[in-house]
Amino acid sequence: MLEILSYKFMQNAITASIIGGASCGIVGVFVIMMRIPFVGVAMSHSAFAGAIFGLVFGTNPLVMAILFCLGSAILIGPISDRSELDPNISIGIIFSIVLGLAFLGMGMIKGPKTEALNFIWGNILMISKNDIILMVIMGIVLLGFLFLFFKEIQSVLFHREIARAVGIPERIVFYSFLILSGMIITLNLNTIGGILIFSLIINPASAAYQITYKLKFIFLLSAIFGVASCLIGLVFSYFFNAPSGAVIIIVSSLIFGVALIFSPKRRVKTNETQSNTS
Amino acid sequence: MSSIIEINNTTVSYRENIAVSNISLTIDEGQFLAIIGPNGAGKTTLLTIINGLGKILSGSARILGIKLTNRTANQIRKEIGYVPQMCSIDPRSPISVKEVVMIGRFGKIGLFRHLNSNDKEIVETAMEVTGIKNLAERPIGHLSGGEQQKVAIARALAQEPRILLLDEPTANLDPKAQREIIDIIERIYKERNLTIVFVTHILSHLPNICTEAILMKQGKIFYKGKIEDALQEDRLSSLYGCPMKYA
């Protein structure tokens, strides 16, 4: 068992699991509490479209992926606020645009499309040292954002209009979150891929949301569940020679299932309902 | 008394609908003003002009002596406590009553700063005044509608505002909860001498201490004056478009 730790690619994969799992877990709490679950899909497909255009025009796919993701993040908030649309609608609009661009780019790639498809499926075992360095930097930025602006974040997650009414710059907080989530998703595309990353964002945070009423603990638990999903999935995929992204998602779904079954919030609600009806 | 709110010829629209049209209004410091009118009259929109949440299409407003612009709105909001209409809160929402009240201080203390002992004292006092100290650690989503309204008032008080905007704070509450909320509002007004703007479309919910009123209909001010004149039968009947009598 311990021999797998001696492989360089495995060491990188474990490091990526810890950083990526924690980052996606933290981003997931914003996504769940702001009720914008499809932001992950929109961002990952923005990154996918950017990477494809990087390949088409012979530039660095990662840089293009980041630029596309930033563009989408910058557009989603103002489209929603200025046109008074539900953020999920503006996310849907951006998603449809980047999906169209991604397919257009795929059609423009000559020859095999393997490299482009890697962004869709991802492979944590192929993570490079440079990928990890970027993930660490973004992880630190995300944690910094969380620690420095926790009281503003808590207010915005509770109620955007109330946060604005008390004088908190809630738009800056909301837009910053969108940009950060875009960056985190882009840098984690190699971990589990553009399609499945949606689950790594939603599942750990949803599981944590079932367990506690303390926002700080939700962030902590969600990060732990994200890391656990990645590490357990990684080990299983290694020993059973299964696609790592798929196994990671199955593990994160199982964690959510267990959290839902044993949720103290569910128990409290049941007891209250019973006492109210009796 | 000096005027604390001056709204001049202001129009606010939401897409193709004009929510309030060419409204002019002056409210003196320390005044308790009721805004009365049927649904869709523009009462809430008028409040959002005062706290800068509404988008002014034309006209201008001076609040607390400061001209309301995009640049000054945030600064003005810190001095205005706002209790919006009751909204549903997820029972699993991970925030306690005390944390919700603290939000009232967060805008005031600004970025990169934490609540100090004075801020915590203000939060405790706000909870005490509204009678929710025993609920401090409970999740906000577990509270009844009346309790949630008390929390909203406590949050607004934690701002130590100069103006308090109350948007139908007693709507959808049972009679006991309505009475408790009105008692709290009357007590706050007497003790703190705030400027209070109280929106309602239910006349029986008007606090006794209210002296002035404006009646709104279809985005315009229909009448402004003493409360006893505003509540005359013919005026109310005309306002609501059906026979109305204030008991």
Side-chain angles (χ1 to χ4, degrees):
Chain A
M1 170 86 184
L2 287 176
E3 77 196 36
I4 65 170
L5 298 176
S6 61
Y7 302 124
K8 187 70 191 164
F9 73 90
M10 207 52 168
Q11 290 169 0
N12 285 346
I14 289 169
T15 313
S17 295
I18 294 168
I19 303 161
S23 304
C24 287
I26 291 170
V27 164
V29 178
F30 290 98
V31 171
I32 290 292
M33 289 200 60
M34 297 294 297
R35 298 183 192 281
I36 45 173
F38 295 105
V39 74
V41 183
M43 291 297 182
S44 61
H45 283 77
S46 299
F48 176 54
I52 287 173
F53 274 89
L55 294 173
V56 169
F57 295 114
T59 53
N60 188 329
L62 183 64
V63 172
M64 288 295 280
I66 290 173
L67 287 177
F68 265 60
C69 231
L70 281 178
S72 297
I74 288 166
L75 286 174
I76 287 171
I79 286 178
S80 160
D81 286 338
R82 293 197 178 191
S83 53
E84 290 167 26
L85 287 171
D86 184 302
N88 283 307
I89 304 288
S90 63
I91 287 167
I93 291 164
I94 293 294
F95 173 64
S96 62
I97 293 169
V98 293
L99 199 61
L101 288 173
F103 276 101
L104 181 69
M106 287 285 272
M108 291 163 72
I109 294 176
K110 303 273 186 281
K113 299 172 172 57
T114 320
E115 202 177 347
L117 289 173
N118 279 342
F119 286 98
I120 281 281
W121 302 118
N123 189 346
I124 198 166
L125 299 174
M126 303 288 283
I127 291 264
S128 70
K129 198 175 174 184
N130 284 343
D131 291 331
I132 289 176
I133 290 170
L134 285 172
M135 285 169 76
V136 168
I137 292 169
M138 270 321 295
I140 291 169
V141 172
L142 180 67
L143 281 179
F145 175 67
L146 196 59
F147 281 115
L148 282 176
F149 302 105
F150 186 79
K151 69 181 194 302
E152 286 80 16
I153 290 168
Q154 186 180 39
S155 310
V156 171
L157 292 183
F158 172 61
H159 202 293
R160 276 187 74 188
E161 192 190 18
I162 287 172
R164 188 154 78 242
V166 300
I168 288 170
E170 56 85 28
R171 279 192 182 162
I172 294 174
V173 174
F174 181 52
Y175 296 170
S176 303
F177 148 67
L178 288 173
I179 290 169
L180 275 173
S181 67
M183 296 293 288
I184 294 289
I185 288 165
T186 306
L187 297 176
N188 279 282
L189 282 186
N190 286 335
T191 319
I192 59 168
I195 293 177
L196 296 179
I197 201 164
F198 169 70
S199 310
L200 190 57
I201 285 173
I202 298 293
N203 291 351
S206 301
Y209 195 79
Q210 302 302 322
I211 290 174
T212 173
Y213 286 103
K214 297 280 179 198
L215 185 60
K216 281 179 186 169
F217 289 135
I218 288 186
F219 276 112
L220 184 65
L221 279 176
S222 184
I224 291 170
F225 291 155
V227 173
S229 302
C230 287
L231 286 179
I232 297 169
L234 183 63
V235 171
F236 272 85
S237 75
Y238 178 81
F239 284 109
F240 295 101
N241 198 22
S244 55
V247 182
I248 287 170
I249 294 318
I250 290 168
V251 173
S252 74
S253 303
L254 287 173
I255 290 173
F256 170 71
V258 172
L260 186 65
I261 290 166
F262 294 104
S263 168
K265 291 188 177 181
R266 223 166 135 245
R267 268 208 306 278
V268 168
K269 202 176 178 187
T270 309
N271 288 342
E272 280 184 355
T273 312
Q274 281 170 352
S275 63
N276 285 341
T277 50
S278 61
Chain B
M1 277 193 288
S2 60
S3 59
I4 196 166
I5 297 168
E6 293 170 48
I7 297 170
N8 303 309
N9 243 347
T10 300
T11 298
V12 175
S13 80
Y14 290 113
R15 300 183 192 91
E16 70 269 30
N17 300 320
I18 300 286
V20 296
S21 176
N22 291 321
I23 280 209
S24 292
L25 175 68
T26 303
I27 302 174
D28 291 334
E29 187 155 18
Q31 196 173 347
F32 193 118
L33 177 79
I35 302 178
I36 301 163
N39 292 332
K43 306 184 296 294
T44 299
T45 306
L46 182 55
L47 291 191
T48 64
I49 294 174
I50 296 170
N51 69 3
L53 290 178
K55 289 175 192 160
I56 295 177
L57 199 68
S58 65
S60 64
R62 284 186 83 81
I63 314 296
L64 300 159
I66 303 166
K67 187 172 170 22
L68 184 64
T69 63
N70 285 340
R71 195 180 281 255
T72 59
N74 217 40
Q75 181 197 346
I76 291 170
R77 275 183 213 128
K78 292 178 185 181
E79 304 297 329
I80 300 176
Y82 178 48
V83 178
Q85 286 179 25
M86 213 161 71
C87 53
S88 67
I89 297 174
D90 179 4
R92 299 178 183 210
S93 194
I95 186 161
S96 69
V97 166
K98 191 173 182 177
E99 287 169 329
V100 172
V101 179
M102 281 176 174
I103 289 175
R105 292 304 300 161
F106 290 163
K108 203 120 186 182
I109 64 175
L111 299 171
F112 308 112
R113 295 177 67 185
H114 295 286
L115 298 184
N116 60 25
S117 55
N118 183 46
D119 295 313
K120 287 174 185 166
E121 182 82 33
I122 291 166
V123 168
E124 291 293 325
T125 307
M127 289 196 295
E128 207 170 305
V129 168
T130 48
I132 54 165
K133 222 170 170 181
N134 57 325
L135 305 172
E137 300 306 324
R138 287 190 64 188
I140 181 77
H142 286 196
L143 269 50
S144 68
E147 289 168 335
Q148 286 184 4
Q149 281 303 77
K150 289 179 191 173
V151 175
I153 294 170
R155 175 188 42 73
L157 286 183
Q159 280 179 256
E160 293 198 307
R162 290 177 61 193
I163 301 169
L164 186 58
L165 307 177
L166 301 161
D167 194 357
E168 310 214 20
T170 52
N172 303 318
L173 300 181
D174 64 50
K176 182 172 176 280
Q178 284 169 14
R179 193 63 254 164
E180 285 175 355
I181 296 289
I182 291 170
D183 286 347
I184 288 169
I185 293 166
E186 289 185 335
R187 202 165 60 243
I188 291 166
Y189 181 66
K190 282 174 189 162
E191 287 172 5
R192 304 197 176 201
N193 199 29
L194 298 173
T195 305
I196 295 185
V197 184
F198 182 98
V199 164
T200 188
H201 66 275
I202 307 167
L203 302 175
S204 58
H205 292 187
L206 281 170
N208 292 329
I209 48 167
C210 178
T211 51
E212 303 278 327
I214 65 169
L215 307 180
M216 287 192 73
K217 188 177 184 180
Q218 294 172 342
K220 290 182 184 293
I221 293 178
F222 179 76
Y223 174 83
K224 182 177 187 305
K226 295 283 174 201
I227 187 90
E228 52 273 21
D229 296 331
L231 297 177
Q232 282 181 6
E233 190 176 344
D234 56 339
R235 197 161 273 142
L236 289 177
S237 300
S238 175
L239 177 71
Y240 284 94
C242 64
M244 288 285 293
K245 194 171 182 181
Y246 177 66

